[in-house]
Amino acid sequence: MLQGALDAFADQGYDGTSVRELSRRLGVSHALLTARYGSKEGLWFAAMEHALAQSERTWRDIDESPALDDLEALRQALVRQVIFSATHPQVLRIMNREGSIDSPRVRFVVDRFVNPLRPGVEHLLSRLVAAGRIRPMPYATLHFLAVGGGGAIFANDVEAALLGAPSPPDAADIRAHAEAVADICIAGIAVAPSGAEPASELSSERGSGRTA
């Protein structure tokens, strides 16, 4: 029922989805929906919580893996976040609508899932900055790169197919995309070891024909 509700809200938006349509699509009575979730908004909250619980576990695992190198922990979290977006493209489609409207729904997602995880992620980033391993990065930048940038290829599947992406992608395609997104993000914020040239300088030298 919650997965079906997620599909409906992703397809038609919150305002464009009526309780009558939800009842018909889910094959249940209006009375059952009301008794179980109280309202259409209550069902929306339950459907999003059902989906986002998996993403929440991904980021909580960072704090629960002290033996894992900090930079590798961040990379693995990015990979798993993108894979989550592939298996739950409805979430990004829904948030692309809700994220531009100040409503109890967008505040629910931020207050229930994003803000509770934020201190742990920011602490990880701070440790990496203090160790000289990455440049400072605003939390919002990381959030949108991982969630929106990494997941857009799955949420916008028609556009992705027109651009030549596998349609539908299989597990190997999803993993390859997730690994590429994580690698690009990490390379973009990583600080080159002392004595090494930044990747941007190396790229420009290759383009100009210079040699070391």
Side-chain angles (χ1 to χ4, degrees):
M1 187 180 296
L2 294 176
Q3 183 60 46
L6 201 69
D7 292 339
F9 289 127
D11 291 345
Q12 300 174 346
Y14 180 82
D15 291 331
T17 305
S18 67
V19 175
R20 182 186 299 277
E21 167 62 17
L22 282 169
S23 299
R24 183 196 65 77
R25 185 164 182 160
L26 299 176
V28 298
S29 68
H30 180 287
L32 176 61
L33 286 182
T34 302
R36 182 166 297 184
Y37 302 106
S39 64
K40 180 174 76 170
E41 190 167 66
L43 177 58
W44 190 97
F45 291 155
M48 289 294 280
E49 181 145 13
H50 170 73
L52 286 169
Q54 180 179 331
S55 180
E56 180 183 36
R57 286 193 297 273
T58 288
W59 291 99
R60 289 206 183 280
D61 283 349
I62 290 177
D63 290 333
E64 297 171 3
S65 302
L68 194 61
D69 174 77
D70 280 345
L71 198 59
E72 181 58 23
L74 178 60
R75 184 186 178 280
Q76 288 189 19
L78 291 171
V79 169
R80 290 172 60 185
Q81 175 63 45
V82 174
I83 292 174
F84 166 82
S85 295
T87 55
H88 297 83
Q90 305 90 342
V91 171
L92 184 54
R93 290 173 189 150
I94 290 170
M95 291 308 297
N96 281 340
R97 288 189 175 99
E98 297 292 341
S100 62
I101 305 166
D102 192 352
S103 72
R105 296 180 298 281
V106 69
R107 290 178 177 270
F108 167 80
V109 171
V110 172
D111 292 342
R112 167 65 181 82
F113 292 99
V114 181
N115 284 341
L117 296 171
R118 182 170 179 170
V121 177
E122 288 186 322
H123 186 51
L124 171 65
L125 296 177
S126 295
R127 291 200 306 269
L128 287 165
V129 171
R133 301 184 67 189
I134 67 170
R135 293 187 292 275
M137 182 181 198
Y139 179 83
T141 301
L142 176 64
H143 172 87
F144 282 104
L145 281 174
V147 176
I153 194 171
F154 307 114
N156 303 331
D157 54 334
V158 173
E159 179 184 6
L162 291 173
L163 292 173
S167 180
D170 60 23
D173 297 324
I174 293 169
R175 168 63 68 169
H177 175 73
E179 297 276 355
V181 169
D183 286 343
I184 290 169
C185 287
I186 296 299
I189 62 174
V191 174
S194 178
E197 294 179 274
S200 58
E201 293 183 14
L202 290 173
S203 297
S204 63
E205 288 179 2
R206 290 192 189 100
S208 64
R210 295 167 56 193
T211 58

